């Protein structure tokens, strides 16, 4: 699909070209109702002002925009290392934008980077909605989705690099089952996070295979930081839900899980076994050291850069790293 133009917006909204221009440029000589209609139409179509679209006509800048939720998160820091090493090897520079898991900040980052005439975008999307990703596609800007498997985008040929989350979730849960756990909690991310959805799918597969009934009370969703894991466990304890194993969406949440268990004098791994996901560096250093599913983080970064040019999908395997928390 080509660029969405101001003329397209005007036609779709049923207004004149001049009215559309005035509304989108903040002029006051347009009624509030008409302005709202034009703005909603522009958003729906993925319209980006000409100053962004025009920038695509310039020569290559050998810069790549990278949009992630938080480069202070050890997981994304490792992914970013992989991107940087590959970019340097190919003679590219990167411009980094953090979104703090805000969709609005994600949209602004995309617009800013396109204005800076980057040759392509690597993006770990917020996933609250996908309007901004359709905007990038409509503009014809090369982009790769990192760390998320968005099934709706598969028929469109949009490049993605992600881990085999269903298999990872299955093997993490299977590990706990093999160590005698029968009441396993899954502490997940936000309900719209596809990585969390697929890990939970693998979790359920392992339970069904072992003949263990799925108990919805043991499935929690929330934030993906330490506090999210802590709150989920405190809720389970408050509601008197019995559990002997916990599979956390990521290692940061697993740290919160361990904190909550320790505060409640629950022994790890004697009473409750814990497994995380990601294998960030700190996971080997906490007490007890954390069993986790290792994601090939730097490989993910390298592959995502290569995909800007190869236009393919890459699925990476996860690796079980057993430590003290599940012995």
């Amino acid at each position: 699909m080509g660029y969405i133009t101001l003329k397209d917006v005007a036609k779709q909204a049923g207004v004149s070209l001049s009215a559309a221009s005035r509304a989108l440029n903040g002029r006051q000589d347009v009624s509030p109702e008409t302005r709202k209609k034009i703005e909603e139409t522009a958003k729906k179509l993925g319209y980006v002002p000409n100053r962004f679209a025009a920038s695509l006509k310039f020569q290559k800048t050998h810069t790549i925009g990278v949009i992630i939720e938080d480069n202070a998160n050890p997981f994304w820091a490792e992914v970013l290392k992989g991107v940087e090493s590959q970019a340097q090897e190919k003679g590219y520079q990167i411009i980094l934008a953090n979104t703090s898991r805000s969709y609005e900040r994600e949209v602004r980052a995309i617009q800013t980077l396109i204005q800076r005439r980057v040759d392509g975008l690597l993006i770990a999307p917020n996933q609250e909605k996908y309007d901004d990703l359709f905007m990038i596609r409509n503009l014809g800007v090369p982009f790769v989705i990192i760390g998320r498997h968005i099934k709706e985008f598969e028929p469109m040929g949009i490049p993605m690099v992600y881990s085999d989350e269903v298999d990872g979730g299955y093997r993490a849960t299977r590990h706990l089952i093999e160590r005698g756990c029968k009441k396993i909690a899954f502490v997940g991310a936000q309900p719209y996070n596809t990585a969390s959805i697929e890990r939970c799918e693998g979790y359920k597969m392992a339970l069904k295979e072992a003949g263990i009934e799925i108990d919805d009370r043991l499935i929690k969703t929330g934030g993906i930081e330490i506090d999210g894991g802590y709150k989920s466990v405190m809720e389970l304890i408050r509601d008197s839900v019995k559990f002997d194993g916990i599979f956390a969406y990521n290692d940061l949440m697993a740290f919160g899980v361990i904190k909550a268990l320790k505060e409640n004098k629950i022994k790890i791994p004697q009473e409750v076994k814990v497994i995380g996901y990601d294998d960030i560096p700190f996971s080997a250093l906490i007490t007890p050291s954390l069993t986790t599913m290792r994601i090939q983080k730097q490989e993910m970064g390298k592959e995502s850069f290569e995909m800007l040019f190869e236009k393919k999908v890459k699925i990476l395997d996860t690796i079980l790293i057993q430590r003290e928390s599940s012995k």
Side-chain angles (χ1 to χ4, degrees):
M1 185 182 293
Y3 305 144
I4 297 298
T5 66
L6 185 61
K7 186 176 180 181
D8 297 324
V9 174
K11 182 178 179 181
Q12 186 71 24
V15 299
S16 68
L17 187 61
S18 62
S21 176
R22 292 198 304 275
L24 295 176
N25 280 293
R27 295 268 297 273
Q28 299 302 310
D29 52 347
V30 182
S31 71
E33 295 80 11
T34 301
R35 180 187 306 281
K36 183 179 179 183
K37 184 178 182 181
I38 292 168
E39 288 175 347
E40 288 178 349
T41 301
K43 186 176 180 181
K44 179 181 177 182
L45 294 177
Y47 171 73
V48 177
N50 281 342
R51 64 181 180 276
F52 296 139
S55 70
L56 302 175
K57 299 175 184 177
F58 286 76
Q59 293 182 340
K60 287 186 177 297
T61 59
H62 285 87
T63 57
I64 298 295
V66 182
I67 302 172
I68 56 178
E69 57 190 33
D70 181 11
N71 71 316
N73 181 321
F75 173 85
W76 290 113
E78 286 293 306
V79 173
L80 193 58
K81 276 186 184 179
V83 174
E84 286 178 320
S85 68
Q86 204 68 5
Q88 288 174 7
E89 187 177 309
K90 302 288 186 182
Y92 279 77
Q93 298 294 318
I94 68 168
I95 303 175
L96 176 66
N98 284 308
T99 66
S100 301
R101 289 178 290 281
S102 162
Y103 175 76
E104 289 70 27
R105 290 185 66 170
E106 183 174 298
V107 171
R108 290 197 297 272
I110 290 168
Q111 293 176 333
T112 299
L113 289 168
I114 291 176
Q115 188 178 27
R116 296 283 294 271
R117 305 199 306 273
V118 295
D119 294 339
L121 293 168
L122 307 181
I123 179 167
N126 167 275
Q127 293 197 288
E128 225 174 305
K129 47 189 172 179
Y130 297 132
D131 295 356
D132 56 340
L133 301 185
F134 284 112
M135 176 184 73
I136 305 171
R137 179 174 177 268
N138 291 344
L139 284 169
V141 179
F143 74 106
V144 173
I145 294 170
I146 314 175
R148 299 289 182 264
H149 175 207
I150 305 175
K151 293 179 181 177
E152 303 96 291
F153 287 175
E154 285 181 340
M156 304 176 196
I158 292 174
M160 291 180 270
V161 55
Y162 55 90
S163 298
D164 190 338
E165 308 290 14
V166 176
D167 179 67
Y170 168 83
R171 290 193 293 122
T173 309
R174 186 72 201 169
H175 174 76
L176 295 178
I177 293 170
E178 288 171 350
R179 273 139 195 82
C181 298
K182 297 187 183 299
K183 295 184 180 297
I184 302 169
F186 174 72
V187 178
Q190 302 91 336
Y192 49 78
N193 182 306
T194 55
S196 183
I197 292 168
E198 292 186 348
R199 289 173 201 177
C200 189
E201 185 181 334
Y203 157 84
K204 291 178 178 179
M205 281 174 55
L207 294 181
K208 287 178 181 177
E209 183 182 88
I212 299 173
E213 185 178 352
I214 295 169
D215 184 348
D216 289 337
R217 297 177 305 163
L218 288 167
I219 300 174
K220 295 287 185 181
T221 57
I224 62 173
E225 303 290 344
I226 293 173
D227 193 48
Y230 178 84
K231 286 180 178 178
S232 291
V233 173
M234 295 303 280
E235 286 175 11
L236 290 170
I237 294 170
R238 180 199 65 199
D239 296 338
S240 300
V241 179
K242 301 296 182 184
F243 56 91
D244 56 10
I246 298 178
F247 168 25
Y249 167 76
N250 65 15
D251 289 355
L252 290 177
M253 293 186 80
F255 298 165
V257 165
I258 290 172
K259 181 176 186 288
L261 293 174
K262 285 183 174 180
E263 283 185 8
N264 285 275
K265 306 293 191 269
I266 298 172
K267 296 178 182 178
I268 313 163
Q270 295 90 336
E271 295 176 86
V272 174
K273 293 175 172 54
V274 180
I275 188 167
Y277 211 101
D278 289 350
D279 192 28
I280 60 177
F282 303 119
S283 299
L285 304 176
I286 64 166
T287 303
S289 56
L290 180 66
T291 296
T292 184
M293 298 300 299
R294 175 179 293 167
I295 288 182
Q296 300 179 63
K297 298 173 283 296
Q298 290 197 34
E299 186 69 16
M300 181 177 285
K302 291 177 181 178
E303 288 287 347
S304 65
F305 180 88
E306 289 298 324
M307 276 187 227
L308 273 175
F309 311 99
E310 296 178 13
K311 310 290 184 187
K312 63 180 182 179
V313 170
K314 179 74 173 182
I315 305 172
L316 301 172
D317 291 331
T318 54
I319 303 162
L320 175 67
I321 306 297
Q322 185 176 346
R323 299 193 181 104
E324 295 169 351
S325 68
S326 68
K327 276 187 178 179

